[in-house]
Every structure is written in C-alpha cells, then in structure tokens.
Amino acid sequence: MKYSYYPGCTLKNKAKDLDAYARASARALGFELEEIEDWQCCGGVYPLGSDEIATKLSSVRALNEAKEKGQDLVTLCSACHHVIKRVNDDMKNVEDIRTRANNYMELDEPYAGETNVLHFLEVLRDKVGFDKLKEKVVNPLTGKKIGAYYGCLLLRPGKILGFDNPENPTIIEDFIRAIGATPVVYPYRNECCGGYISLKEKEMAKNMCDKIVDSAEGFGAEMLITACPLCMYNLNKSTEGKIPVVYFTELLAEALGVKEEVEI
Amino acid sequence: MSHVNKVDQIKEISGVNPLKCMKCGKCSASCPSFNEMDIKPHQFVSYVQNGDIESLVNSKSLWKCLSCFACVERCPRDVKPGKLIDAARQLVVREKGQTYLSPDEVPELLDPETPQQLLVSAFRRYRR
Amino acid sequence: MQRIGVFVCHCGSNIAATVDVKKVVEMAAKEPGVVHAEDYQYMCSEAGQAKIAAAIKEKNLTGIVVCSCSPRMHENTFRGAAERAGLNPYMVEIANIREHCSWIHKDVEEATKKAVILARAAIAKVNLNTPLKPGESRVTKRALVIGGGIAGIQTALDIADAGYEVDIVEKTPSIGGRMSQLDKTFPTLDCSACILTPKMVEAAAHEKITIYTYSEVEKVSGFVGDFTVDIKKKARYVDANKCTGCGVCQEKCPSKKSLSEFNRGLNTRSAIYTPFAQAIPNVPVIDTEACIKMKTGKCGICSKVCQAGAVDYEQKDEIITEKYGAIVVATGFDTIKLDNYDEYAYNQSKDVITSLELERVMNAAGPTKGHLERLSDGKHPKEMVFIQCVGSRCADNRGKSYCSKICCMYTAKHAMLIRDKYPDVNVTVFYIDVRTPGKNFDEFYRRAVEDYGVNYIKGQVGKVIPQPDGKLLVQGVDLLDNKQILKEADMVVLATAIEPNPDVRKIATMLTASIDTNNFLTESHAKLRPVESPTAGVFLSGVCQGPKDIPETVAQAGAAAVKAIGLLAKDKLLTNPCTAKADELLCNGCSTCANVCPYGAISYEEKEVNDHGIRETRRIAVVNSALCQGCGACTVACPSGAMDLQGFSNRQIIAEVDAICR
Amino acid sequence: MSIETNEEFRPKIVAFCCNWCSYAGADLAGSSRLAYPADVKIIRVPCSCRVNPMFILRAFEKGADGVILCGCHPGDCHYSTGNFYARRRMTLLFSMLDYIGVENGRTRVEWVSAAEGVKFSQTMNEFVEKIHSLGKNVRLGDLRCKN
C-alpha cells in the first residue's frame, strides 16, 4: 500500500526523528510513504479569514497531487494535518473558496476535495488496524505508563477533522495499548500547550504546559507522547526533563524493533 | 475605514453571526488564556454587536488568543467567539505597519530547540 | 352559471394594513360568476357572518368566496354560516390573504395584487364546486392511551370516569413512567411516589380500565371513531394470573448483574424482575438477555422456587386486536444521551451524574438507599456543583434547540433538598438564565437562594476536570464578576436536556400524526387546539407534545381526556365528503387505483352502463365513501382519468392554476 | 401580447401544498411574519399525491416560470404513503421536463412539516431566486393562449 506523504517543514529540520521513525515503522508495517514532490510549507496555522485564498493554495497543491496519483494523503505533524484537512474540507464544501482557489490554480481538472487526508495515527487505526499492529510488535513496551498528549490541533474543530471525540479522545490510548504499554488517561490531554504563543509569551506557555504535565504526572504517567513538534518543544520547556516527552513514532519504531535502523 | 464597515468586515471574515449568542459564557469558561485577556471571549461578541471594533483591535486579548478552538468546539450557539478575535487580528495584520512581531526582535526569542513550526505559525498570526 | 358572493375581510388591520381591500372587492366583482362583493372589518364576527347570510338570501347566491385568514382557521366558521343561510357548506371557498399574503408582504401594491390573484383562484374554483353531503360513520366507544406515565394514567382515569372503556398500553413492565423515578416534586416538595402510587392503584382497579404493560402498539388502521389497533403483549414468561407477587424468584435468581433501568443503570437487578417495589402490575418479567435458563437451558431456579407455578419459559408474544374510537398519545420523554458532552466528564467520572440519576440517588429505594454519596467511593460529598442547560438551547447540532423547561425548577428543588438534609454540603449552581414562570415557582427558587444559601453563579461551565485525588475541578465563568472560576467539587450534577421518547416517531407514523423536527408531536393549533393532533381522533397528552412539568402534564392529560370523551359521546360522526369517485363511462376496471389506496376503500363491481347508447356490463371501480379519506392518490394513478376527487377535482385545481397564471 | 420592455422580471410561481403539513407550514411562516416574495401563489391540495403531473404541465403551459410541490416529510404523510407516490411521480416528470427544455431548477419537491415555517419561507426565497436566475420560462407556453 502506498500513500502520498506530506512531511512539512519542521520534519525536515528540528523534528527529523518524528519523520524518520515514521518511515521506518511504515516499512515494517508494510506500507510506503511516498513524499509528494515540491511540497510547500502549509503555513503552520489554518488561514484565519474565511476570505483568504492565497494562504490555502500550498495545501491545495499537495491535495491535488495526491488526487492525481489516486492516493490518500498522509500527514504527521499536527499543524500540517490540521491545516490540510481543513483546507480540504473548504474545497469540498465551500463553493466560494473552491471556485476562487481553482481560478488561481488553473489545474487541468478542478480540485473539489476528492483526496482523503489521513493522519499517520488514522492510518494505524483505520488502515492497518490496532489489532494487526499489535501482532507486528516484537518488542512490547510492557509496563510503561504513558500519557497521550493530543493538544488542540489534532482534535478541533471536531466536526471537520473527524479525527476522534474532541473532548474524550481514545486513538492514542489505543495506540499505546497496541504497542504493549499502559495508557494513562488524564483530563488535560486535549488542552492547549500554548502553541505559537511561546515565541513571545514564554511564561504564559509555561503555565499552560505545567498544568498539562502536573495532571499527567498526577494520574501516574511516566512519559508523554505527542505527534506535534511544537507541543513537544513547549512541553519540554515545562518539564525540564522531569519526565520524558517523545514522539509517538519513536515508540512505534521501538516496539516494531526498527528503532536501531534509523539514523538521524 | 468607518466602523460600520469594520463590523461588517469582521462578520464577513469570521463568518460569525453575533446575534446568535445567548450569553452563556461557555467560551470564557473554556478559554485557557482567560486570565491574560483584557477583553474576555464572551465580550468579543458584545463588542462586535455594539460596533466597538476599535477597542477590540487595540486589546491585549488579540495577541493572547491561542486559536486552540476550545471555544469554537464548545459554543452551544454556533457563534464561536474565537473566530471573531481571529478576524479582528486579521484586520490589524492587514493594515500595514501594525504588527505585533518585528523581525528584528526574533533572534533573541529563539533557542536551539525552536521548531520551524513555531516561527511559521507565529509569523502567520502576527504579521501579514 | 353560479351566482357567487365575495367577502373580503379586513381582519382589523391584519389584512387591511397591507392589502387594499376595496381594490380586492372591486377586482373580484369583475370576475365571472360574481354577483356580489363586499368587505367588512371582521368577517368571522357575528355581524360579518350576518352579512354573508343576508347576501346569500338576498342575492340568491350559489357559492361564496371569503378572502380572509387561513382556511385552517375559519373554514368551518364560514361553512357553518353558509349552511345556516341555506347554502351547501361545500360551496364555500377561502382565499387565504392573511397568512399567505398580508402578513408576509410589506408593499401594499404588491400584496394587493397577490390578494386579487388569490381571490380570483378561489372564485375560479368555486365556479366549479358542487354541493356535497357528508356521510356518517360509527364511533367505537373505547379509547386507547399509549403510554402509562402520569399523563397516560390521568387521561385514562378521566375518560374511564366519564363511563368509557379505556386501554393503556405501556412499553415497560410497569405503569408509572418518569414520575415514578422522581423522589420529590416541585414546588411543594411532595413525595412523588406518595401522590403517584394512589393514581396507579386507582387505574389498575378501575373497572373501565384495562392495562397492557410490557406491550407495544404494533399496527394502527382505520380513522377517527373506528381505529383498529394491534397490540403486542411481549412474553413476560410469568403467568400474571398465577403470580402472587411474593418476590421470591427475584431474591433467588442467580443472574443479578443486569443494570437496573429504573435506577438509571446506577445499580443492578436480577434477570427476573419487577422494576420497582410499587410496580403495577406486581408481576415480574424475565429479561431473556440476562436469564441463564434462556441462554444456556440450565438453571430454572425461579420456576422451582415459585410456589404458584407462575413461571413459564415457553410463553410467547401475543397480539391483541382491538377497536377504538379515540387514541391518546402519552409517550413521554427521556433525557438525552451525553456522549456529545464529554467536556463535562459524564463518561469519565462516576461522580458526574444527570439530574434524573440524582433523583434515584436521593430516593430511599435508590442505589444508595437515599443517602447522598459519591457513586465512585461512597463518600459523602461536601461540595456539589449543578450545571444548567446541558444540551438545551443549542444551535450546534450537539444538543436540542429548545429550553427543556423543567430543569431550573428541579435544580432549585435538588439544591434545596440537599441543603435541608445536609447543611454541611455547599451547593453551587452555574446557570445561564433562571426561568421560573409558574405559580409559586420564582418564590420557590428564591427560597433556595435566600433561605438555603444556594450559590447561584451566572455563567456556563467549560470543562469538568477529574483530579488524581478523585475530586472534580469545575472550570466555569462568573459573567457578572467577569472572572473564570475553578471550583473543586465532589459531585457534579448535569441538568440534562429532555427529548421525546425515541419510539414516538414510529408511533406517529402509524397514527399518521404530524411530528416536528425535534420529535415532538404537532398540535392542531398552537393556541386554540393544543391537545389535538391534526389527525382526527388522535389526542396529545404530556411531554410528547412539548416540555412540561407535572402540573401542566396533568392539566393537559385532562384536556386530552375531555376531547376524547367529546368524541366518544357521539353516536355517529359526519365523514369528509371530499372523497374519490370514478366516472363509470371512463373506468375500465384496471385495478390501478385499488393498488395505491392506503385504506382499501376501492372495490369493483360488474355494472351495466349506458355508454352513448351502448348498454353493456363492465367492471367498474366503486369507492366506499366511509373508508375513503380523500387523499387523491388514486386520481393521479388512474390511467384513464376516470377517478376524480370531489371538492378537489381536476377541473377545480386546473381552474386555480389557470387563474394564478393568467 | 404584452410587450416585454425593461420591466423587472416578476416570475409566476405556483406552489402546491398539502393540507396537513406544508400548507400549515406556510401558515406558520405567515403568522411568524417570515417574508418571501409575492410571486409565490399557493394552491391547497389534500395531499402531495393529489398533484397530477398534468397540473404542472398546465401551469407551464399557462405561463408559470416555476412550480414547487411541498408535502409532509417522508414517513410523516397524513395518508401514510401519499408523499412517496408524489416523489416517484415527480422524479419522472421532472426528468421528462428537463429533457424537453424546462430546466430542473424550475421544478422542485420539498418536504415541509407544519412546524417548519422557517423552512417554508427559506425554501420559497431560494426557489424564487433560482427562478430569477433562470429567467422567463419560454418552453411549453401555449401560444394559442396569447393574444
């Protein structure tokens, strides 16, 4: 099985590990991530104004390329996922945006939201299946108590992202179970880490992350996992190494026994 | 730009109908930045209703909203105040010279771990 | 040629402010057949009707058109007026120039033009009207009440007291409904069971009332005065005639893990069970999903311990077919599912409960024997938080658009009862608005605040955050103080929106009763016919029609009973004469019409006809006008155009189309 | 024959409404003062299944620019099944009309319950707008009717 893959800017730099572990795990699970050509940065945030078109075009290009290949488009970074899925929804359901974006793009055939956008976790849940994943685990992380940190971008707005129940998600917990570890459910797992605010308001971001980390630790988490480089950055600032924060793909690679192959 | 114009612009950019608000405050009850804000999320709606866009675009809140969509997700009336503050920020960002982040100050805000994503999204939020 | 009179109503200023009524009179007078046209302030008033009567007599009118409000409002009024003046009531047509014209248009010229066209269409139609005579149908002097809650019980008692037979069909094993689950009632704090149980007993003992519990309506056919209903009596696996209600079977049953429906799933019950101690009938049922005997064939303990020999594993569902003159729907409500509201942690914490669950917790027969305690660890709470409007007043598809109406009052009740019984417990209520219209209602709520020290905070809650130590952190807002609040609580109670019982849609379809997008049954007129469904012979009682508290429900139940009694008291009903009729010369007996008729009203006869001098015997469709309800499906299906509908004939409708497009 | 000058196009629109749901929905739109253009004229029929395709053809023949049929929601028909018949008949009729040049937008079936005054008004507003965008109906007009 081949998927079109949109890595995004951070996965080419500060979060190379998030990307590399994912590719290695994909191979181990028998599917391939085919990086789309000439992708451009998604912009990091979903364009704020409903009248913005230009800022949506890089997503449309990626979506259209996947469409032309007849593949689903897989993303890994929460921000890219959020932006591309929402732009796709606009292209499917908002006539005005669709028309204007297509006018800019001058594609051979207009793009109307045909591509299915999947987060890597969704591939694991809906395409591979957590039961199948469990069978492929050679190195179960038994006994590890792991808190899933979702953040906001993966889950909200729930109706458009359709990723999981935005107020009580379970996909990462199910993932943790599949790799043999024990999920720790804590109520702050879908609260915001502060996001981009940490550039200028470091104190504010730290307060927010402290709440998240305290809650996770309170419920017994020994480790936090995330899919987002920015969440990772903000949480690390807060924990100061007290408890590790890692990408979920790293644990996946470890469980599948391919971690050592990966060079970063 | 007159304010009537700005009110309409905010409504258009955000796609929000502030008249649907029933003033329950669930947005403010959900907001993780509430304590940092001078104008609170539920008040965004009244400011737009009353046409006082000036106060809104000059508020601290404009730069404190995280766009975490907690208010958008939970608003029972489909008003989604987060979209209003986003729209107000757009008004500011689109007017030249009004930027909250200048490239000159960026280097000192960085550290070796700063992910690209942070810069990209902060620039998108703060500047045109 | 008809001699038509046109009467244009001003309806005070309702019509006259936007429609130039004089112009309508002037234009109508020019239409073919019109020999009289006038306007008047209020045509429906006695003076207005007198004008119509006078004109009919003086001008020898053969048909009239009244340009006024909707025919759904006053068609009967004007038909009556015409009949009293000696005109066939079906020679009256209404042009709806209020609801369909003056009320929705602002421009006088435009509205007047439209009113003229609507009048013209009605005149064109009445030109082709023929006098019709209603037939008669009989009335079965028996009523069916669907639902055995307080609404159904009250309706049944009132009908039975008037001397008519009533059957109650209740889906669950006992009558009593939601009210039987309540602990106390507002605004008097009566014990719910103390006021409900006597009514249940009275209904069960009433010689005119038959109660079918654990039963459902399967099929409804017929029409007002003459409904035929199939009732499925589900197998209880216990013979009600033998059972003494001793309860030994329930004690001895080894399968005790099923969640108790009556206690809202907060504790368990046995596989053979009566929902609660005061159940009527006091005859248990076997839950086949949980019964070991039913699942594995082994066990049979209940049968062994039953001294009366009442347990019967072979019992089968039974269909009872009965005829009724009137049907009352009293299907009630349930609370909505909270799966869309996980920010309140209902699914994550046992200590977040709905108000209806709190009723069970507070009740002596409930899961905690009436002690206020946390369901997670049995500890007595010190801080309780109530959240209002959970799923009510929503515009976002997660919840319901309407106000559930009862929550403000029951929350005040709960707060007061808790503060009264446990003065050490602090109670905080997060509210959006406190809505307490009703006699002694606001006073009741004020008592909660002033006498019992309940802390009301204006603002909604954003999230309920379970803490590692088992407490709940409530993150809300105080809008009057403009502060976000973090309040630690031991229990959180959600004032959960109510919705019509989900089965009601199926029942509405069987009864062909109208239902709205929220699944509330629609009343015939929002103000003037609030307990009657638009479907004749079907009446509405209780929350199936809209959110209501107990006193309102009881009042409406009585009103529905009176309407049903009014119907049952008649020996004969006049039937709608607007029925289908086949043209003998055009019909070729193909049976197409009979196939589309939902009432089986069409049969065929071999009949001798005279077709332009040729006498021959042909197979011809004959409509039974007592069965025909006048939908017109057959008229369109008929390939030869033989079938037509009286009162809405092809020619009449085409005349209207022509008049509008002219 | 009226000479078409620069006068504003005012479409002629016939709405067939069943007595039980849609006519009541229209009444509710009226009592709730939910405006829609005066171009819409309502004909009351007992049930949507009473509407003979012939009536719709007749309307177009006589110069209607649009015809809309409103009935109870599927499953809610006062006569149980009438709206199902109507739905099937209209599907056939509309495709035939489209084939002969009466665009699909000129015909519409909509389910409106007695409680849906808002929907009734919205539907009529949309429909009138649609007819405006399609302009005058020139097909099927009976030239013999003109003088």
Side-chain angles (χ1 to χ4, degrees), chain C residues 70 75 110 650 658 661, chain D residues 10 12 27 44 50 58:
Chain C
S70 172
E75 188 171 54
E110 205 170 56
N650 290 336
D658 289 359
C661 297
Chain D
R10 293 310 301 255
K12 286 179 184 168
D27 280 0
R44 182 164 71 133
R50 175 63 188 97
R58 177 76 168 208

Side-chain angles (χ1 to χ4, degrees), chain A residues 174-250:
Chain A
D174 292 340
F175 165 76
I176 293 169
R177 262 180 228 111
I179 58 171
T182 310
V184 174
V185 175
Y186 62 102
Y188 278 91
R189 66 198 194 286
N190 62 341
E191 291 293 314
C192 181
C193 69
Y196 69 93
I197 212 92
S198 64
L199 188 68
K200 290 201 65 162
E201 327 274 345
K202 308 218 182 258
E203 197 55 30
M204 201 176 145
K206 181 164 179 345
N207 286 340
M208 299 173 72
C209 286
D210 284 350
K211 278 190 198 162
I212 295 163
V213 174
D214 288 349
S215 171
E217 278 191 311
F219 280 91
E222 299 160 357
M223 173 191 268
L224 288 178
I225 60 172
T226 177
C228 177
L230 184 50
C231 299
M232 169 87 131
Y233 172 79
N234 286 340
L235 287 173
N236 269 329
K237 290 262 166 218
S238 160
T239 61
E240 289 162 343
K242 270 188 297 183
I243 65 169
V245 186
V246 302
Y247 291 124
F248 76 97
T249 53
E250 183 175 343

Side-chain angles (χ1 to χ4, degrees), chain A residues 56-116:
Chain A
K56 291 177 176 159
L57 295 181
S58 74
S59 300
V60 178
R61 274 187 203 104
L63 287 161
N64 188 59
E65 195 175 323
K67 174 190 159 189
E68 284 173 358
K69 286 188 185 173
Q71 293 172 344
D72 290 347
L73 181 62
V74 173
T75 56
L76 201 44
C77 164
S78 300
C80 303
H81 181 72
H82 180 90
V83 172
I84 295 175
K85 224 180 207 176
R86 289 188 73 179
V87 170
N88 201 33
D89 182 77
D90 287 341
M91 294 300 286
K92 201 186 281 180
N93 299 319
V94 185
E95 198 180 332
D96 177 52
I97 294 178
R98 178 169 59 235
T99 314
R100 287 165 63 200
N102 277 307
N103 286 347
Y104 270 103
M105 300 280 296
E106 298 188 325
L107 303 166
D108 296 338
E109 185 192 324
Y111 181 77
E114 292 90 346
T115 299
N116 190 20

Side-chain angles (χ1 to χ4, degrees), chain C residues 130-148:
Chain C
T130 48
L132 300 173
K133 199 172 174 297
E136 284 181 342
S137 68
R138 66 196 183 89
V139 179
T140 305
K141 310 243 167 206
R142 187 181 193 94
L144 170 67
V145 176
I146 306 174

Side-chain angles (χ1 to χ4, degrees), chain C residues 70-71 75 96 99-100 104-105 110 114 509 512 517 534-535 596 599 631 633 635-636 644 648 650 658 661, chain D residues 10 12 20 23-24 27 30 33-36 38 40 44 46 49-50 55 58 62 75 78-80 85 89 116:
Chain C
S70 172
E75 188 171 54
N96 184 347
E99 281 84 345
H100 294 187
I104 46 169
H105 305 312
E110 205 170 56
K114 178 168 173 180
T509 304
T512 69
T517 40
T535 300
V596 299
Y599 303 99
C631 67
T635 61
V636 186
D644 209 349
F648 291 94
N650 290 336
D658 289 359
C661 297
Chain D
R10 293 310 301 255
K12 286 179 184 168
W20 302 95
Y23 195 89
D27 280 0
R33 315 297 199 270
L34 299 163
Y36 53 88
V40 177
R44 182 164 71 133
C49 73
R50 175 63 188 97
F55 302 160
R58 177 76 168 208
K62 293 287 176 184
H78 182 74
Y79 306 101
S80 302
Y85 290 120
R89 285 169 190 156
E116 291 175 326

Side-chain angles (χ1 to χ4, degrees), chain D:
Chain D
M1 186 173 174
S2 66
I3 297 160
E4 299 236 357
T5 49
N6 289 336
E7 255 180 61
E8 194 198 348
F9 168 50
R10 293 310 301 255
K12 286 179 184 168
I13 293 171
V14 179
F16 291 98
C17 290
C18 83
N19 181 46
W20 302 95
C21 291
S22 308
Y23 195 89
D27 280 0
L28 183 59
S31 55
S32 315
R33 315 297 199 270
L34 299 163
Y36 53 88
D39 309 323
V40 177
K41 315 286 189 303
I42 296 170
I43 295 179
R44 182 164 71 133
V45 287
C47 174
S48 52
C49 73
R50 175 63 188 97
V51 176
N52 198 313
M54 187 171 77
F55 302 160
I56 292 169
L57 293 173
R58 177 76 168 208
F60 284 123
E61 184 188 328
K62 293 287 176 184
D65 300 297
V67 178
I68 180 165
L69 169 58
C70 299
C72 307
H73 284 270
D76 292 351
C77 174
H78 182 74
Y79 306 101
S80 302
T81 50
N83 49 4
F84 295 133
Y85 290 120
R87 181 164 65 183
R88 270 183 258 168
R89 285 169 190 156
M90 293 309 138
T91 307
L92 279 173
L93 174 70
F94 294 171
S95 76
M96 192 273 279
L97 282 173
D98 192 39
Y99 178 71
I100 60 173
V102 180
E103 305 91 323
N104 255 337
R106 294 195 188 276
T107 49
R108 180 163 169 179
V109 173
E110 196 62 62
W111 312 128
V112 181
S113 79
E116 291 175 326
V118 175
K119 184 177 178 188
F120 187 86
S121 164
Q122 273 172 359
T123 303
M124 292 307 153
N125 277 304
E126 278 170 32
F127 189 62
V128 173
E129 201 178 311
K130 181 76 196 173
I131 300 301
H132 265 283
S133 75
L134 291 170
K136 190 148 183 53
N137 178 39
V138 288
R139 297 273 168 175
L140 277 186
D142 185 346
L143 294 176
R144 291 171 305 176
C145 303
K146 313 263 178 179
N147 45 33

